[in-house]
Amino acid sequence: MFLDAYFAEHSGRYSFSREQASYFAKKIAGDFNPIHDADNKRFCVPGDLLFSVMLAKTGLSQKMHVEFAGMITDGVELTINTKSANDLSLVDEKGKEYLHVTRDGEISHNTKLIETVTKNYVKFSGMNFPHIMVPLMESEQVMINPARPLVIYESMALEFSRLDLESPQVELTDSIIESDGKRGSVTLAFSFTENGEVVGEGRKKMLMSGLRPYCQTQIDDLVERFNARKDAFLTA
């Protein structure tokens, strides 16, 4: 399984080193958010990595709603808490929840399909900045703090019309930004297509804090730093 390099498993307990999580963010998701850097004091494991492990261990459901309940650092051991067949969560030894999944409909354990959906979705999910986020912030004339950029993954939902699929691709269908003072949110709508047919839809919601008036110069500097980090990783 391609995910094996990005987490450790011992007797049904899952944990993530800083290096594993950081490499997943950059290599699989194309996500160069500094918060996923191994040496960052505010380091956290990408929510998409938690979701990917849950998919690999419990299967791909026809309908899924995922809530991200907290930021998790390296070394914390998580287990899958099965409240029911359709109500699952990742919790630590104290029972604190970090990811909650409710699901319905058919469930597929097709390893190839799960890997394809995971890679394509995560790659799409990780490309929020700058391609999607910057035009949205400009349209609303607000921006995140360029010195400490922080966008938190709140929730996502998937719904497939069927699961007898081979290689569904992810495409953005809509993007919405809302702001209220220093807080705001971005919602991305997307579809899964295969052979020209729409076979699934989804929505992802992210929360922003510390918003301030839009400044093109500061945004340009933020994008330049992002691209420099990306280039440095790809050429290393």
Side-chain angles (χ1 to χ4, degrees):
M1 185 172 66
F2 86 99
L3 276 178
D4 288 346
Y6 305 109
F7 72 101
E9 179 180 359
H10 302 287
S11 301
R13 297 180 179 275
Y14 311 101
S15 61
F16 313 86
S17 70
R18 288 182 172 234
E19 290 73 19
Q20 286 173 322
S22 180
Y23 204 62
F24 175 90
K26 296 174 174 63
K27 182 175 177 62
I28 304 300
D31 180 355
F32 292 86
N33 187 332
I35 203 169
H36 301 316
D37 286 351
D39 59 354
N40 193 313
K41 293 181 179 179
R42 298 189 299 153
F43 167 86
C44 76
V45 176
D48 281 334
L49 179 52
L50 300 182
F51 172 64
S52 298
V53 171
M54 180 68 91
L55 271 191
K57 296 301 178 180
T58 64
L60 173 67
S61 299
Q62 198 166 358
K63 297 181 182 180
M64 304 183 73
H65 180 78
V66 183
E67 294 180 347
F68 297 86
M71 298 170 68
I72 181 171
T73 189
D74 60 304
V76 178
E77 291 190 329
L78 302 178
T79 58
I80 298 175
N81 180 25
T82 306
K83 298 178 183 178
S84 72
N86 295 324
D87 192 332
L88 313 168
S89 57
L90 281 174
V91 300
D92 64 17
E93 61 180 4
K94 296 181 180 179
K96 181 179 178 181
E97 190 173 83
Y98 292 90
L99 180 143
H100 183 211
V101 177
T102 52
R103 61 185 186 176
D104 195 14
E106 181 185 348
I107 299 175
S108 173
H109 294 280
N110 182 321
T111 303
K112 182 178 179 181
L113 174 61
I114 292 173
E115 180 174 329
T116 298
V117 169
T118 299
K119 285 183 175 179
N120 288 342
Y121 169 72
V122 167
K123 183 178 180 180
F124 160 80
S125 178
M127 291 180 65
N128 297 322
F129 187 90
H131 310 86
I132 300 172
M133 290 287 295
V134 169
L136 284 176
M137 290 189 294
E138 183 178 10
S139 70
E140 190 73 1
Q141 284 297 294
V142 296
M143 68 179 189
I144 53 179
N145 183 348
R148 297 182 66 184
L150 182 60
V151 179
I152 299 174
Y153 206 164
E154 184 197 59
S155 63
M156 60 94 73
L158 302 177
E159 182 171 348
F160 292 91
S161 58
R162 54 188 176 85
L163 291 180
D164 57 336
L165 306 169
E166 294 185 2
S167 184
Q169 304 298 307
V170 184
E171 298 177 1
L172 178 70
T173 56
D174 196 12
S175 56
I176 301 169
I177 185 171
E178 298 178 322
S179 62
D180 182 13
K182 292 186 177 182
R183 298 184 180 274
S185 67
V186 169
T187 301
L188 305 181
F190 52 93
S191 64
F192 288 89
T193 60
E194 184 167 278
N195 299 322
E197 175 191 0
V198 176
V199 295
E201 296 180 337
R203 296 180 74 84
K204 171 183 177 179
K205 185 175 182 180
M206 299 168 289
L207 301 180
M208 305 179 294
S209 60
L211 295 180
R212 57 200 59 206
Y214 187 85
C215 174
Q216 190 63 56
T217 301
Q218 291 182 333
I219 286 293
D220 289 344
D221 179 66
L222 182 59
V223 172
E224 184 177 341
R225 284 186 281 127
F226 173 91
N227 288 332
R229 290 161 50 80
K230 182 177 181 179
D231 292 342
F233 175 80
L234 294 177
T235 57

